[in-house]
Amino acid sequence: QTRWQLASAYPDGNFHTRNLREFCADLDQATGSKLQVQLHGNASLLPMPQIKRGVQTGQVQIGEILLTAYSNEDPFFDADAVPFLVPDFAGARRLAELQRPYIEARLARQGLSLLYTVTWPAAGFYTQVPLTSLDVLKGSRFRTFSPLTNRFAALVGANPVLVQQAELAQAFATGIATAMVTSAQTGVDTSAWDYAKVFTPATFSMTKNAILISRRALEGLPADQQAAVKAMAQKAEDRGWTYAAEAQKASEARLAEKGLTIGTVSPAVMAELKQIGNTMTEEWVQRAGEDGRKLVDALRAA
Amino acid sequence: MDLLTFALLLLVLLCILLGAGLWIAMSLAAVGYIAMVFVHPSPGLFLASSFWEATGSWTLAALPMFVWMGEILFRTKLSEELFNGLAPWVRRIPGGLLHVNILACGIFGSVSGSSAATCATVSKIALPELKRRGYDENVAVGSLATSGTLGILIPPSIIMVVYAVAAEVSIIRVFIAGCIPGLLVMLLFSAYIAIWAMLNPSKQPRAEPRMSLAGKLRASAKLIPCAVLIVVVIGTMFVGWATATEAAAFGVLGALLMAAGWRTGAVLLAADLLAWAFGVIGFSEVWPIAFFALLGLAAGESVLTWQAFLDSVKGATRLSCMIMFILAGAAFLTKAMALTGIPAALAEGVVHLNLGPYGLIAILTVVYVLLGTALDGVSMIVLTTSIVIPLVQQAGFDLVWFGIFIVLLVEIAEITPPVGFNLFVMQTMTGKEQTEVAMASLPFFLMLVLTVVLCTLFPVTLVTGLPDLLLSR
Amino acid sequence: MRRLLDVLYALGAGLAALSLFAIFCVMMAQVVLREMQLQLPAADDVSAYLCVSTTFFALAATFKRGELIRVGMALDRLGPAARRWAELLVLGLAAVLIAYVTFWTAQDMWFSWEIEEVAQGTVPIPLWIPKLAVPLGTGLLLIAILDEFVTVLGGARPGYVVAAEERAAAGDFSAEV
Ligand code: NA
Ligand code: NA
């Protein structure tokens, strides 16, 4: 009997964590309880920035990360965070498929394998006034948390401010921040109705969580169990994408129910945003090189 | 060996190591190592990562800032002024200046997010004054150790932030929900002091002479710098200058100006007005700087020598080091616990008991008090929420309410041996033994338990009503 | 040798105090720059790292001054001879433990260097640099513990006890924290 540890940083109620719990249960069943995986959610075993290295060192066998958080390591981890690169869930799934071989190759060098990736619901804008034109963002205090969001703020003419997720409510209430971009799910998680007035789903980006496994741990299993892990991972991936779509609808409904105005983007504004997106895609390709060009071309060809 | 026996053995081991005089942070880490050796091939990996993670956090950076602010204030005349300013109003109440402990902790708690920092800062000011005036040391120490925990019940609060993130509830809601229980705790503490004073007339210092209203007001004028400081710290947050963490740095700046005295204040004010006159800054920017200048002006003679400044930095460094080293040790023990599954087993044991809502809360209170003897507040919350939150929701309790409940239990944990931060702080402050400090805190501990009971019986009135009203659900 | 050790502890304490002061500077700079519509890159990461170096560089000095907290009830009840053995025992235990901590935190730092681990924020700061403070600080603490061990072995009372008693005798409990 093998006993593994799985580290995740997301809260227990989150759909990613729910999916992981079901993944663990599936594994238990598929291997006749010969492989048991203990889930440590809520960053109770390892905090977010330590999970990938934790799988590498053997602290845990499986870990869940937000891919784009590792953008400083490699631009390919960042592809799904490039604004307006994909328009919808189908596009995001396609990007995930295209991104996968590159990510797998990079992880392999670090002794890691990719089990599956699941998207977050699409990120949209949180503002105090309806997003009728880009002037709303221009000059705003725009909450950024990564090089890419920083760059977006610069291109749209906003002032980037650094605010921790825990301090969002106070920052908005006092005007330290006046706009931000994140998913409806995160808006629900942080009770966005307490601080923002309008949520505009614009499919800014659809970032993904990745579930990593230590290759040594995986290869140490008997062949049938290895196959079970891979099969259950595939199952979890499909399930996770369904959950994400459900979460998007449910969390938008929840924001509306709590009094946020759900805004829409006019075609003119969308065109301007897409323009910025194109600029940033080009910049990303510069960073990612030949492979990056191939990925973007393949995505657009489809 | 089942988990419960294992847990018990670990607790015994912790008591032995602590009793033998091994430094607390090291005892925690040692027990963590023993626990982890049984469940993981290389505990050292977790040791290194928890030491790094526990001490390297942006929100934690507020702790050394608030500690330093206290160090600077200690070197100003604030200790006397806080007393001379608050004393006239409470001297005729039974218990006299002991009530100042409660008031000062409540006031300081509304600028600080940490219990240990509040306890250290106020004690530093209050203890020598009370001792000098002949107040009963036991009650002074007990009330200070306990009302220091107001730092995490009255917003801002680091513990509340941790809970709100873990339980996915609104931080502002939990903050606001803490206000009324905070006042209630202050009221109960003061009530206890008054009743104790009436029952023990022999232990009271000589009553101080009566004062006219004008005299009282004149004495309280000395509180102006302190009041301005609070306005500065809270104000910088409200006008959107700073986040809760950065506000701590404003506290330091304000304290530095108070210590620098009226000359620096005058220079600053002159520079501010000149800059406005010549159009360098706008009218709206005159005020914040003028506020800081007022701090210096109102504080009187400068006490901030270069030596005093250096001493304040060094002192703050050592106290911060002590606290954060224990946080590191506790973090490692917490990881070990998570891997052994002991906290989960404890919580699951509770589920199988099939209790009603009040029964559940009663059991949870007992469990948290037990956990709180050995764990720090952050660990208590992070380790248990995943099991406890669904239970609590199922039983029909509001999660914002539960946040306040858990903060109250963390407050209790701060004053229960062998691991209680406020006990450690008071140990250092007084040179007393931990048992003595803990015994002195016992009556106030009971007041906290009473608060838990009241908040459970009247959840809407005391806890969830205010946030609902202000944020109009 | 004595002088060299004391200089080392003071150096650690000085670095820690500088780190604490730097936290203040970073926070103020961030506020001021924000008012000027600018951003201090990686301010959150840097202040977190400074918190780490405040903690670990100050360890040895805090220990030597008797300001690391412990429960001294049982020790205080012992006679001088028994007390000496007891102090040697806890110092020995502490030395083993802190040696273990130093070894693993050094490993951790080394691994960060090896895999070129960088911060996840807006600036890719190589993590081995801020992590350096941990093994250096605990290593210095280990030296201080061994220093005390030798002192007690030589028949003298431990420096941290003497320092704490001196403060107590001066009635100076509060000023030291
Ligand atoms: Na507070
Ligand atoms: Na405790």
Side-chain angles (χ1 to χ4, degrees):
Chain A
Q1 199 200 27
T2 316
R3 212 177 153 69
W4 279 359
Q5 313 292 341
L6 193 168
S8 155
Y10 293 98
D12 295 283
N14 191 290
F15 73 89
H16 284 291
T17 318
R18 190 150 46 95
N19 194 25
L20 275 180
R21 262 199 304 273
E22 288 169 30
F23 173 61
C24 295
D26 283 350
L27 276 181
D28 187 90
Q29 208 178 16
T31 61
S33 296
K34 286 208 190 71
L35 175 62
Q36 292 193 337
V37 183
Q38 193 181 359
L39 169 66
H40 301 275
N42 225 341
S44 64
L45 192 60
L46 290 173
M48 186 102 78
Q50 300 214 29
I51 289 180
K52 180 159 158 285
R53 84 190 307 275
V55 184
Q56 284 178 270
T57 57
Q59 275 173 293
V60 293
Q61 286 74 27
I62 308 181
E64 178 180 47
I65 61 164
L66 177 67
L67 265 181
T68 168
Y70 290 86
S71 63
N72 286 340
E73 224 174 73
D74 193 299
F76 274 87
F77 294 141
D78 214 10
D80 55 17
V82 176
F84 308 105
L85 187 57
V86 296
D88 49 23
F89 267 84
R93 194 78 199 253
R94 209 159 53 237
L95 175 61
E97 295 305 328
L98 291 169
Q99 219 181 339
R100 189 175 178 114
Y102 298 108
I103 292 172
E104 275 179 338
R106 274 151 188 84
L107 290 177
R109 270 181 256 145
Q110 304 175 331
L112 299 169
S113 290
L114 181 65
L115 277 181
Y116 67 87
T117 59
V118 168
T119 187
W120 281 88
F125 294 97
Y126 289 79
T127 46
Q128 304 297 31
V129 292
L131 193 63
T132 46
S133 82
L134 281 197
D135 290 342
V136 172
L137 296 179
K138 192 176 288 172
S140 70
R141 293 172 153 207
F142 193 80
R143 185 235 178 183
T144 62
F145 47 85
S146 64
L148 273 185
T149 47
N150 252 347
R151 181 68 186 135
F152 176 79
L155 286 173
V156 82
N159 303 303
V161 288
L162 187 66
V163 177
Q164 304 287 307
Q165 185 161 322
E167 286 179 328
L168 276 180
Q170 190 233 334
F172 267 82
T174 59
I176 284 182
T178 55
M180 68 170 177
V181 60
T182 188
S183 73
Q185 177 72 44
T186 309
V188 170
D189 289 353
T190 58
S191 311
W193 45 86
D194 280 349
Y195 56 86
K197 294 205 173 63
V198 184
F199 174 66
T200 312
T203 319
F204 179 84
S205 65
M206 295 184 70
T207 53
K208 290 188 291 291
N209 276 4
I211 284 62
L212 312 177
I213 187 169
S214 150
R215 216 177 38 210
R216 202 165 40 166
L218 181 64
E219 284 164 3
L221 290 178
D224 61 323
Q225 287 183 26
Q226 283 190 40
V229 170
K230 283 173 189 157
M232 292 308 123
Q234 183 56 50
K235 196 173 156 198
E237 179 160 79
D238 294 337
R239 190 174 48 216
W241 282 77
T242 322
Y243 281 176
E246 285 167 9
Q248 170 139 349
K249 286 210 190 72
S251 48
E252 267 178 37
R254 179 112 172 109
L255 289 179
E257 175 199 325
K258 283 289 189 176
L260 250 80
T261 309
I262 306 296
T264 48
V265 198
S266 70
V269 174
M270 200 60 213
E272 281 183 86
L273 286 171
K274 283 252 162 74
Q275 193 61 44
I276 295 176
N278 285 338
T279 310
M280 291 184 70
T281 307
E282 274 315 304
E283 288 171 357
W284 181 81
V285 168
Q286 301 273 309
R287 280 197 293 141
E290 195 58 30
D291 286 348
R293 170 69 61 198
K294 270 191 237 158
L295 186 137
V296 170
D297 287 347
L299 184 69
R300 287 188 172 150
Chain B
M1 184 165 49
D2 70 299
L3 276 179
L4 220 56
T5 325
F6 188 45
L8 222 58
L9 282 177
L10 290 174
L11 188 64
V12 171
L13 179 69
L14 180 64
C15 292
I16 292 175
L17 288 177
L18 287 172
L22 186 64
W23 289 266
I24 287 173
M26 300 183 206
S27 305
L28 296 175
V31 175
Y33 174 81
I34 299 291
M36 205 178 264
V37 146
F38 290 98
V39 287
H40 200 278
S42 40
L45 289 170
F46 279 99
L47 184 97
S49 62
S50 38
F51 271 41
W52 167 251
E53 160 206 340
T55 52
S57 118
W58 158 251
T59 31
L60 193 63
L63 180 90
M65 288 302 101
F66 279 121
V67 170
W68 187 21
M69 173 180 162
E71 282 283 334
I72 300 166
L73 291 180
F74 177 72
R75 286 169 167 79
T76 65
K77 294 196 198 89
L78 191 69
S79 60
E80 291 161 45
E81 280 158 11
L82 203 65
F83 266 78
N84 296 339
L86 287 173
W89 305 96
V90 295
R91 61 209 296 168
R92 311 301 295 184
I93 306 172
L97 298 191
L98 288 170
H99 295 285
V100 176
N101 289 352
I102 318 291
L103 280 175
C105 281
I107 292 170
F108 196 81
S110 54
V111 291
S112 163
S114 131
S115 155
T118 306
C119 185
T121 309
V122 176
S123 306
K124 188 158 225 183
I125 291 161
L127 261 183
E129 285 294 317
L130 288 173
K131 209 169 175 182
R132 195 167 61 79
R133 292 170 195 235
Y135 277 88
D136 183 84
E137 214 185 343
N138 242 350
V139 179
V141 167
S143 63
L144 280 168
T146 323
S147 44
T149 65
L150 286 168
I152 55 171
L153 182 59
I154 297 177
S157 157
I158 292 172
I159 293 287
M160 284 181 186
V161 173
V162 171
Y163 171 80
V165 172
E168 301 176 80
V169 292
S170 155
I171 292 167
I172 280 203
R173 242 172 232 285
V174 184
F175 271 10
I176 299 175
C179 294
I180 294 179
L183 291 175
L184 177 66
V185 167
M186 290 171 71
L187 200 72
L188 285 175
F189 285 178
S190 273
Y192 168 77
I193 288 177
I195 291 167
W196 168 84
M198 286 190 282
L199 294 179
N200 297 280
S202 62
K203 288 187 182 167
Q204 303 311 310
R206 199 155 37 87
E208 304 188 35
R210 212 170 267 284
M211 255 177 118
S212 67
L213 184 65
K216 284 181 184 176
L217 287 176
R218 218 174 13 254
S220 294
K222 301 204 164 193
L223 286 178
I224 288 174
C226 184
V228 174
L229 184 62
I230 289 169
V231 171
V232 163
V233 175
I234 298 179
T236 49
M237 286 194 277
F238 271 91
V239 300
W241 270 37
T243 64
T245 314
E246 294 156 352
F250 272 104
V252 170
L253 186 67
L256 279 173
L257 277 162
M258 266 174 80
W262 68 271
R263 284 188 193 84
T264 315
V267 171
L268 188 64
L269 189 61
D272 185 32
L273 292 175
L274 278 176
W276 173 57
F278 287 98
V280 182
I281 54 173
F283 185 68
S284 61
E285 280 142 359
V286 171
W287 292 104
I289 302 171
F291 246 111
F292 277 97
L294 181 63
L295 273 172
L297 279 177
E301 247 355 275
S302 165
V303 289
L304 192 71
T305 59
W306 177 239
Q307 190 56 46
F309 174 78
L310 278 186
D311 286 348
S312 73
V313 183
K314 285 189 206 156
T317 307
R318 288 194 302 268
L319 180 57
S320 307
C321 162
M322 185 274 278
I323 294 174
M324 293 195 283
F325 192 45
I326 295 182
L327 277 181
F332 177 54
L333 178 58
T334 303
K335 306 288 173 200
M337 291 288 141
L339 277 178
T340 57
I342 289 173
L346 281 179
E348 267 161 26
V350 175
V351 186
H352 290 305
L353 294 177
N354 263 337
L355 312 140
Y358 287 125
L360 176 72
I361 290 301
I363 293 284
L364 281 180
T365 308
V366 174
V367 169
Y368 275 115
V369 167
L370 285 179
L371 281 178
T373 56
L375 292 179
D376 69 282
V378 174
S379 317
M380 273 168 67
I381 290 174
V382 173
L383 270 182
T384 55
T385 39
S386 61
I387 300 124
V388 172
I389 293 286
L391 288 183
V392 170
Q393 257 176 325
Q394 222 169 23
F397 289 99
D398 183 282
L399 286 189
V400 170
W401 174 85
F402 189 67
I404 301 306
F405 169 81
I406 218 168
V407 167
L408 284 166
L409 288 160
V410 171
E411 288 190 77
I412 288 174
E414 301 274 6
I415 51 159
T416 50
V419 182
F421 272 102
N422 284 25
L423 295 181
F424 302 154
V425 173
M426 292 312 289
Q427 264 178 280
T428 325
M429 290 283 178
T430 59
K432 280 180 183 294
E433 270 306 333
Q434 193 178 53
T435 33
E436 279 181 86
V437 182
M439 283 311 289
S441 310
L442 189 64
F444 299 94
F445 163 93
L446 294 176
M447 292 297 126
L448 281 177
V449 175
L450 179 60
T451 313
V452 173
V453 172
L454 287 174
C455 285
T456 310
L457 292 179
F458 309 105
V460 177
T461 323
L462 292 177
V463 186
T464 55
L466 192 62
D468 283 353
L469 184 75
L470 292 181
L471 298 170
S472 61
R473 181 119 73 174
Chain C
M1 185 66 186
R2 178 74 266 145
R3 234 184 106 70
L4 175 73
L5 287 175
D6 287 340
V7 167
L8 270 181
Y9 305 143
L11 203 70
L15 276 174
L18 269 181
S19 306
L20 182 112
F21 187 69
I23 296 175
F24 171 68
C25 296
V26 168
M27 286 188 176
M28 291 315 293
Q30 199 190 13
V31 171
V32 172
L33 286 176
R34 190 163 49 220
E35 286 304 305
M36 298 161 63
Q37 322 286 12
L38 295 169
Q39 193 186 28
L40 185 62
D44 53 348
D45 285 340
V46 171
S47 40
Y49 303 152
L50 288 168
C51 239
V52 175
S53 56
T54 304
T55 309
F56 287 96
F57 281 130
L59 273 179
T62 312
F63 167 79
K64 286 290 279 183
R65 290 176 61 102
E67 292 182 33
L68 281 189
I69 294 290
R70 63 171 179 170
V71 183
M73 280 177 300
L75 284 177
D76 288 340
R77 302 234 165 88
L78 297 176
R83 165 123 199 191
R84 187 164 156 260
W85 283 110
E87 290 283 9
L88 282 175
L89 185 75
V90 289
L91 280 169
L93 205 59
V96 172
L97 190 78
I98 295 301
Y100 183 81
V101 173
T102 310
F103 175 79
W104 279 100
T105 51
Q107 284 275 312
D108 187 71
M109 191 248 337
W110 182 252
F111 187 68
S112 286
W113 187 79
E114 220 170 44
I115 66 170
E116 296 173 16
E117 197 184 11
V118 290
Q120 298 189 343
T122 45
V123 179
I125 304 169
L127 282 186
W128 68 269
I129 299 172
K131 279 190 173 178
L132 204 55
V134 188
L136 281 180
T138 52
L140 197 59
L141 175 63
L142 179 60
I143 294 174
I145 292 171
L146 293 174
D147 181 10
E148 289 294 348
F149 189 85
V150 172
T151 308
V152 178
L153 205 62
R157 304 178 58 223
Y160 49 85
V161 173
V162 177
E165 280 178 3
E166 272 170 9
R167 282 200 306 279
D172 182 17
F173 298 113
S174 43
E176 289 304 321
V177 172

